[in-house]
Coordinates of all heavy atoms in Angstrom, one line a residue:
L993 N 39.7 15.9 1.9 CA 38.9 16.3 3.0 C 37.5 15.8 2.9 O 36.9 15.4 3.9 CB 38.8 17.9 3.0 CG 40.1 18.6 3.4 CD1 39.9 20.1 3.2 CD2 40.5 18.3 4.8
A994 N 37.0 15.6 1.7 CA 35.6 15.0 1.5 C 35.7 13.5 1.9 O 34.7 13.1 2.6 CB 35.2 15.1 0.0
G995 N 36.8 12.8 1.5 CA 36.9 11.4 2.0 C 36.9 11.3 3.5 O 36.3 10.4 4.1
L996 N 37.7 12.1 4.1 CA 37.8 12.1 5.6 C 36.5 12.4 6.2 O 36.1 11.9 7.3 CB 38.9 13.0 6.1 CG 40.3 12.6 5.7 CD1 41.3 13.8 6.1 CD2 40.7 11.3 6.4
G997 N 35.7 13.4 5.6 CA 34.4 13.7 6.1 C 33.5 12.6 6.1 O 32.7 12.3 7.0
I998 N 33.5 11.8 5.0 CA 32.6 10.6 4.9 C 33.0 9.6 5.9 O 32.1 9.1 6.6 CB 32.8 10.0 3.5 CG1 32.2 10.9 2.4 CG2 32.1 8.6 3.4 CD1 32.4 10.4 1.0
L999 N 34.3 9.3 6.1 CA 34.7 8.4 7.2 C 34.3 8.9 8.5 O 33.9 8.1 9.4 CB 36.2 8.1 7.1 CG 36.7 7.4 5.8 CD1 38.2 7.2 5.9 CD2 36.1 6.0 5.7
G1000 N 34.4 10.2 8.7 CA 34.0 10.8 10.0 C 32.5 10.6 10.3 O 32.2 10.2 11.5
C1001 N 31.7 10.7 9.3 CA 30.2 10.5 9.5 C 30.0 9.1 9.8 O 29.1 8.7 10.7 CB 29.5 10.9 8.2 SG 29.4 12.7 8.0
V1002 N 30.6 8.1 9.1 CA 30.4 6.7 9.4 C 30.9 6.4 10.8 O 30.2 5.7 11.6 CB 31.2 5.9 8.4 CG1 31.2 4.4 8.7 CG2 30.6 6.1 7.0
A1003 N 32.1 6.9 11.2 CA 32.6 6.6 12.6 C 31.6 7.2 13.6 O 31.4 6.5 14.7 CB 34.0 7.2 12.7
L1004 N 31.1 8.4 13.4 CA 30.2 9.0 14.4 C 28.9 8.2 14.5 O 28.4 7.9 15.6 CB 29.9 10.4 13.9 CG 28.9 11.2 14.8 CD1 29.5 11.4 16.2 CD2 28.6 12.5 14.2
A1005 N 28.4 7.7 13.4 CA 27.2 6.9 13.4 C 27.4 5.6 14.1 O 26.6 5.1 15.0 CB 26.7 6.6 12.0
L1006 N 28.5 4.9 13.9 CA 28.8 3.6 14.5 C 29.1 3.8 16.0 O 28.6 3.0 16.8 CB 30.1 3.0 13.9 CG 29.9 2.5 12.4 CD1 31.2 2.0 11.9 CD2 28.8 1.4 12.4
T1007 N 29.7 4.9 16.4 CA 30.0 5.2 17.8 C 28.7 5.4 18.5 O 28.5 5.0 19.6 CB 30.9 6.4 17.9 OG1 32.1 6.2 17.2 CG2 31.2 6.7 19.4
A1008 N 27.8 6.2 17.9 CA 26.5 6.5 18.5 C 25.7 5.2 18.7 O 25.0 5.1 19.7 CB 25.7 7.5 17.7
L1009 N 25.7 4.3 17.7 CA 25.0 3.0 17.8 C 25.5 2.2 19.0 O 24.8 1.4 19.6 CB 25.1 2.3 16.5 CG 24.3 2.7 15.4 CD1 24.6 2.0 14.1 CD2 22.8 2.5 15.7
G1010 N 26.8 2.3 19.3 CA 27.4 1.5 20.3 C 27.4 2.1 21.7 O 28.0 1.5 22.6
T1011 N 26.8 3.2 21.9 CA 26.7 3.9 23.2 C 25.3 4.2 23.5 O 24.4 4.2 22.7 CB 27.6 5.1 23.2 OG1 27.0 6.1 22.3 CG2 29.0 4.9 22.8
D1012 N 25.1 4.5 24.8 CA 23.8 5.0 25.3 C 23.7 6.5 25.5 O 22.9 7.0 26.3 CB 23.4 4.2 26.6 CG 23.1 2.8 26.3 OD1 22.7 2.4 25.2 OD2 23.5 1.9 27.2
S1013 N 24.7 7.2 25.0 CA 24.8 8.6 25.2 C 23.8 9.4 24.4 O 23.9 9.5 23.2 CB 26.2 9.1 24.9 OG 26.3 10.5 25.0
T1014 N 22.8 10.0 25.1 CA 21.8 10.8 24.4 C 22.4 12.0 23.7 O 22.1 12.3 22.6 CB 20.8 11.3 25.4 OG1 20.1 10.1 26.0 CG2 19.7 12.2 24.8
P1015 N 23.4 12.8 24.3 CA 24.0 13.9 23.6 C 24.7 13.5 22.3 O 24.6 14.2 21.3 CB 25.0 14.5 24.6 CG 24.4 14.1 26.0 CD 23.8 12.8 25.8
L1016 N 25.4 12.3 22.4 CA 26.1 11.9 21.2 C 25.1 11.5 20.1 O 25.3 11.7 18.9 CB 27.0 10.7 21.6 CG 27.8 10.1 20.4 CD1 28.7 11.2 19.8 CD2 28.6 8.9 20.9
W1017 N 24.0 10.8 20.5 CA 22.9 10.5 19.6 C 22.4 11.7 18.9 O 22.2 11.7 17.7 CB 21.8 9.8 20.3 CG 21.8 8.3 20.2 CD1 22.1 7.4 21.2 CD2 21.6 7.5 19.0 NE1 22.1 6.1 20.7 CE2 21.8 6.1 19.4 CE3 21.3 7.8 17.7 CZ2 21.7 5.1 18.4 CZ3 21.2 6.8 16.7 CH2 21.4 5.5 17.1
R1018 N 22.2 12.8 19.6 CA 21.6 14.0 19.0 C 22.6 14.7 18.1 O 22.2 15.1 17.0 CB 21.3 15.0 20.2 CG 20.1 14.6 21.0 CD 19.7 15.5 22.1 NE 18.5 15.2 22.8 CZ 18.1 15.7 23.9 NH1 18.8 16.7 24.4 NH2 16.9 15.3 24.4
V1019 N 23.9 14.7 18.4 CA 24.9 15.2 17.5 C 25.0 14.3 16.3 O 25.0 14.9 15.1 CB 26.3 15.2 18.2 CG1 27.4 15.5 17.2 CG2 26.3 16.2 19.4
A1020 N 24.9 13.0 16.4 CA 25.0 12.1 15.3 C 23.8 12.3 14.4 O 24.0 12.4 13.1 CB 25.1 10.7 15.7
R1021 N 22.6 12.5 14.9 CA 21.4 12.7 14.1 C 21.5 14.0 13.3 O 21.2 14.1 12.1 CB 20.2 12.7 15.0 CG 19.7 11.3 15.3 CD 18.3 11.4 15.8 NE 18.2 12.1 17.1 CZ 18.3 11.6 18.3 NH1 18.4 10.2 18.4 NH2 18.2 12.3 19.4
A1022 N 22.0 15.0 14.0 CA 22.1 16.3 13.4 C 23.1 16.3 12.2 O 22.8 16.8 11.1 CB 22.5 17.4 14.4
V1023 N 24.3 15.7 12.5 CA 25.3 15.6 11.4 C 24.8 14.8 10.3 O 25.0 15.1 9.1 CB 26.6 15.0 12.0 CG1 27.6 14.7 10.9 CG2 27.2 16.0 13.0
L1024 N 24.2 13.6 10.5 CA 23.7 12.7 9.5 C 22.6 13.3 8.7 O 22.5 13.1 7.4 CB 23.3 11.4 10.0 CG 24.5 10.6 10.6 CD1 24.0 9.3 11.3 CD2 25.5 10.2 9.6
L1025 N 21.7 14.1 9.3 CA 20.7 14.8 8.6 C 21.2 15.8 7.6 O 20.8 15.9 6.4 CB 19.7 15.4 9.5 CG 18.7 14.5 10.2 CD1 17.9 15.3 11.3 CD2 17.7 13.9 9.2
V1026 N 22.2 16.6 8.1 CA 22.8 17.6 7.2 C 23.6 16.9 6.1 O 23.5 17.3 4.9 CB 23.7 18.5 8.0 CG1 24.6 19.4 7.0 CG2 22.9 19.4 8.9
A1027 N 24.3 15.8 6.5 CA 25.1 15.1 5.5 C 24.2 14.4 4.4 O 24.5 14.4 3.2 CB 26.0 14.0 6.1
G1028 N 23.0 14.0 4.9 CA 22.1 13.4 3.9 C 21.5 14.4 3.0 O 21.4 14.1 1.8
Y1029 N 21.2 15.6 3.5 CA 20.7 16.6 2.6 C 21.8 17.1 1.6 O 21.5 17.2 0.4 CB 20.3 17.9 3.4 CG 19.9 19.1 2.6 CD1 18.8 19.1 1.9 CD2 20.8 20.2 2.6 CE1 18.5 20.2 1.1 CE2 20.4 21.3 1.9 CZ 19.3 21.3 1.1 OH 19.0 22.4 0.4
V1030 N 23.0 17.3 2.0 CA 24.0 17.7 1.1 C 24.3 16.6 0.1 O 24.5 16.8 -1.1 CB 25.3 18.0 1.9 CG1 26.5 18.3 0.9 CG2 25.1 19.3 2.8
S1031 N 24.3 15.3 0.5 CA 24.5 14.2 -0.4 C 23.4 14.1 -1.4 O 23.7 13.8 -2.6 CB 24.6 12.9 0.4 OG 25.7 12.9 1.3
Y1032 N 22.2 14.3 -1.0 CA 21.1 14.3 -1.9 C 21.3 15.4 -3.0 O 21.1 15.1 -4.2 CB 19.8 14.6 -1.2 CG 18.6 15.1 -2.1 CD1 18.0 14.3 -3.0 CD2 18.2 16.4 -1.9 CE1 17.0 14.8 -3.8 CE2 17.1 16.9 -2.7 CZ 16.6 16.1 -3.7 OH 15.6 16.5 -4.5
L1033 N 21.6 16.6 -2.6 CA 21.9 17.6 -3.6 C 23.1 17.3 -4.5 O 23.0 17.5 -5.7 CB 22.1 19.0 -2.9 CG 21.0 19.7 -2.2 CD1 21.4 21.0 -1.6 CD2 19.8 19.9 -3.2
F1034 N 24.1 16.8 -3.9 CA 25.3 16.4 -4.7 C 25.0 15.3 -5.7 O 25.4 15.4 -6.9 CB 26.4 16.0 -3.8 CG 27.7 15.7 -4.5 CD1 28.4 16.8 -5.1 CD2 28.3 14.5 -4.5 CE1 29.6 16.5 -5.7 CE2 29.5 14.2 -5.2 CZ 30.2 15.3 -5.8
L1035 N 24.3 14.3 -5.3 CA 24.0 13.2 -6.2 C 23.0 13.7 -7.3 O 23.2 13.3 -8.5 CB 23.4 12.0 -5.5 CG 24.4 11.3 -4.6 CD1 23.7 10.2 -3.8 CD2 25.5 10.6 -5.4
S1036 N 22.1 14.6 -7.0 CA 21.2 15.1 -8.0 C 22.0 15.9 -9.0 O 21.8 15.9 -10.2 CB 20.2 16.0 -7.3 OG 19.4 15.3 -6.4
F1037 N 23.0 16.7 -8.5 CA 23.8 17.5 -9.3 C 24.6 16.6 -10.3 O 24.7 16.8 -11.5 CB 24.8 18.3 -8.5 CG 26.0 18.8 -9.2 CD1 25.9 19.9 -10.1 CD2 27.2 18.3 -8.9 CE1 27.0 20.4 -10.7 CE2 28.4 18.7 -9.6 CZ 28.3 19.8 -10.5
L1038 N 25.2 15.5 -9.7 CA 26.0 14.6 -10.6 C 25.2 14.0 -11.7 O 25.6 13.9 -12.8 CB 26.6 13.5 -9.7 CG 27.9 13.8 -8.9 CD1 28.3 12.6 -8.2 CD2 29.0 14.3 -9.8
V1039 N 24.0 13.4 -11.3 CA 23.2 12.7 -12.3 C 22.7 13.7 -13.4 O 22.8 13.4 -14.6 CB 22.0 12.1 -11.6 CG1 21.0 11.5 -12.6 CG2 22.4 11.0 -10.7
Y1040 N 22.2 14.9 -13.0 CA 21.7 15.8 -14.0 C 22.8 16.4 -14.8 O 22.6 16.6 -16.0 CB 20.9 16.9 -13.3 CG 20.2 17.7 -14.3 CD1 19.1 17.2 -15.1 CD2 20.6 19.0 -14.7 CE1 18.5 18.0 -16.0 CE2 20.0 19.8 -15.6 CZ 18.9 19.3 -16.3 OH 18.3 20.0 -17.3
A1041 N 24.0 16.7 -14.2 CA 25.1 17.2 -15.0 C 25.5 16.2 -16.0 O 25.9 16.6 -17.1 CB 26.3 17.6 -14.0
F1042 N 25.5 14.9 -15.7 CA 25.8 13.9 -16.6 C 24.8 13.9 -17.8 O 25.2 13.8 -18.9 CB 25.8 12.5 -15.9 CG 26.1 11.3 -16.8 CD1 27.3 11.0 -17.1 CD2 25.0 10.6 -17.3 CE1 27.6 9.9 -18.0 CE2 25.2 9.5 -18.1 CZ 26.5 9.2 -18.5
L1043 N 23.5 14.0 -17.5 CA 22.5 14.0 -18.5 C 22.7 15.3 -19.4 O 22.6 15.2 -20.6 CB 21.1 14.0 -17.9 CG 20.8 12.7 -17.2 CD1 19.4 12.8 -16.5 CD2 20.8 11.5 -18.2
Y1044 N 22.8 16.4 -18.7 CA 22.9 17.7 -19.5 C 24.1 17.7 -20.5 O 24.0 18.2 -21.6 CB 23.0 18.9 -18.5 CG 23.1 20.2 -19.3 CD1 22.0 20.9 -19.7 CD2 24.4 20.7 -19.7 CE1 22.0 22.1 -20.4 CE2 24.4 21.9 -20.4 CZ 23.3 22.6 -20.8 OH 23.4 23.7 -21.5
A1045 N 25.2 17.1 -20.0 CA 26.4 17.1 -20.9 C 26.2 16.3 -22.1 O 27.0 16.4 -23.1 CB 27.6 16.6 -20.1
R1046 N 25.1 15.4 -22.1 CA 24.9 14.6 -23.3 C 23.8 15.1 -24.2 O 23.4 14.4 -25.2 CB 24.6 13.2 -22.8 CG 25.9 12.4 -22.6 CD 25.8 11.4 -21.4 NE 27.2 11.0 -21.2 CZ 28.1 11.6 -20.5 NH1 27.8 12.8 -19.9 NH2 29.3 11.2 -20.3
L1047 N 23.2 16.3 -23.8 CA 22.3 16.9 -24.8 C 23.1 17.5 -25.9 O 24.1 18.0 -25.8 CB 21.5 18.0 -24.0 CG 20.7 17.6 -22.8 CD1 20.1 18.9 -22.2 CD2 19.6 16.7 -23.3
T1048 N 22.5 17.3 -27.1 CA 23.2 17.7 -28.3 C 22.6 18.9 -29.0 O 21.4 19.2 -28.8 CB 23.3 16.6 -29.4 OG1 21.9 16.2 -29.7 CG2 24.0 15.4 -28.8
V1049 N 23.4 19.7 -29.7 CA 22.9 20.8 -30.5 C 22.5 20.3 -31.8 O 23.4 19.8 -32.6 CB 24.0 21.9 -30.6 CG1 23.5 23.1 -31.4 CG2 24.5 22.4 -29.2
R1050 N 21.3 20.5 -32.2 CA 20.8 19.9 -33.5 C 20.6 20.9 -34.6 O 20.1 20.6 -35.6 CB 19.4 19.2 -33.2 CG 19.5 18.1 -32.2 CD 18.1 17.4 -32.0 NE 18.2 16.4 -31.0 CZ 18.6 15.1 -31.2 NH1 19.1 14.8 -32.4 NH2 18.7 14.2 -30.3
H1051 N 21.1 22.1 -34.4 CA 21.0 23.2 -35.4 C 22.3 23.9 -35.5 O 23.2 23.9 -34.6 CB 19.9 24.1 -35.1 CG 19.9 24.6 -33.7 ND1 20.9 25.6 -33.3 CD2 19.1 24.3 -32.6 CE1 20.7 25.8 -32.0 NE2 19.6 25.1 -31.6
D1052 N 22.5 24.6 -36.6 CA 23.7 25.4 -36.8 C 23.6 26.6 -35.8 O 22.6 27.1 -35.4 CB 23.8 26.0 -38.2 CG 24.3 24.9 -39.2 OD1 24.7 23.8 -38.7 OD2 24.3 25.1 -40.4
V1053 N 24.8 27.1 -35.5 CA 24.9 28.3 -34.6 C 25.7 29.4 -35.3 O 26.4 29.2 -36.2 CB 25.6 27.9 -33.3 CG1 24.7 26.9 -32.5 CG2 27.0 27.4 -33.5
D1054 N 25.5 30.6 -34.8 CA 26.2 31.8 -35.3 C 27.5 32.0 -34.7 O 28.4 32.5 -35.3 CB 25.3 33.0 -35.2 CG 23.9 32.8 -35.8 OD1 23.8 32.6 -37.0 OD2 22.9 32.8 -35.0
F1055 N 27.6 31.6 -33.4 CA 28.8 31.9 -32.6 C 29.2 30.7 -31.8 O 28.3 29.9 -31.3 CB 28.7 33.1 -31.7 CG 28.3 34.4 -32.4 CD1 27.0 34.8 -32.6 CD2 29.3 35.2 -32.9 CE1 26.7 36.0 -33.2 CE2 29.0 36.4 -33.6 CZ 27.7 36.8 -33.7
V1056 N 30.5 30.5 -31.5 CA 31.0 29.5 -30.6 C 31.9 30.3 -29.6 O 32.9 30.9 -30.0 CB 31.8 28.4 -31.3 CG1 32.4 27.5 -30.2 CG2 31.0 27.7 -32.3
V1057 N 31.4 30.4 -28.3 CA 32.1 31.1 -27.3 C 33.0 30.1 -26.5 O 32.5 29.1 -26.0 CB 31.2 31.8 -26.3 CG1 31.9 32.6 -25.2 CG2 30.2 32.7 -27.1
V1058 N 34.3 30.4 -26.5 CA 35.3 29.6 -25.7 C 35.6 30.3 -24.4 O 36.2 31.4 -24.5 CB 36.5 29.3 -26.5 CG1 37.3 28.2 -25.8 CG2 36.2 28.8 -27.9
L1059 N 35.3 29.7 -23.3 CA 35.6 30.4 -22.0 C 37.1 30.2 -21.7 O 37.7 29.1 -21.8 CB 34.8 29.7 -20.9 CG 33.3 29.8 -21.1 CD1 32.6 29.3 -19.8 CD2 32.8 31.2 -21.3
G1060 N 37.7 31.3 -21.2 CA 39.2 31.2 -20.9 C 39.5 30.6 -19.6 O 38.6 30.4 -18.7
S1061 N 40.8 30.4 -19.4 CA 41.3 29.9 -18.1 C 42.8 30.5 -18.1 O 43.3 31.1 -19.0 CB 41.3 28.4 -18.0 OG 42.2 27.8 -18.9
G1062 N 43.5 30.2 -17.0 CA 44.8 30.8 -16.8 C 45.8 30.3 -17.9 O 45.7 29.2 -18.4
L1063 N 46.8 31.1 -18.1 CA 47.9 30.7 -19.1 C 49.1 30.2 -18.3 O 49.4 30.6 -17.1 CB 48.3 31.9 -19.9 CG 47.1 32.6 -20.7 CD1 47.6 33.9 -21.4 CD2 46.5 31.6 -21.7
I1064 N 49.9 29.4 -19.0 CA 51.2 28.9 -18.4 C 52.3 29.9 -18.7 O 52.4 30.4 -19.9 CB 51.5 27.5 -19.0 CG1 50.5 26.5 -18.7 CG2 52.9 27.1 -18.5 CD1 50.7 25.1 -19.3

Side-chain angles (χ1 to χ4, degrees):
L993 292 175
L996 291 173
I998 293 172
L999 292 180
C1001 288
V1002 172
L1004 179 62
L1006 293 176
T1007 302
L1009 284 172
T1011 65
D1012 293 327
S1013 171
T1014 298
L1016 183 60
W1017 262 111
R1018 289 177 175 172
V1019 170
R1021 278 194 297 265
V1023 169
L1024 292 177
L1025 283 173
V1026 172
Y1029 172 69
V1030 174
S1031 298
Y1032 159 69
L1033 289 181
F1034 184 65
L1035 290 175
S1036 299
F1037 162 75
L1038 279 183
V1039 172
Y1040 188 72
F1042 177 83
L1043 293 176
Y1044 180 87
R1046 277 144 189 82
L1047 297 177
T1048 57
V1049 180
R1050 300 184 181 277
H1051 49 72
D1052 284 353
V1053 295
D1054 305 295
F1055 300 94
V1056 178
V1057 180
V1058 190
L1059 302 184
S1061 68
L1063 302 176
I1064 297 176

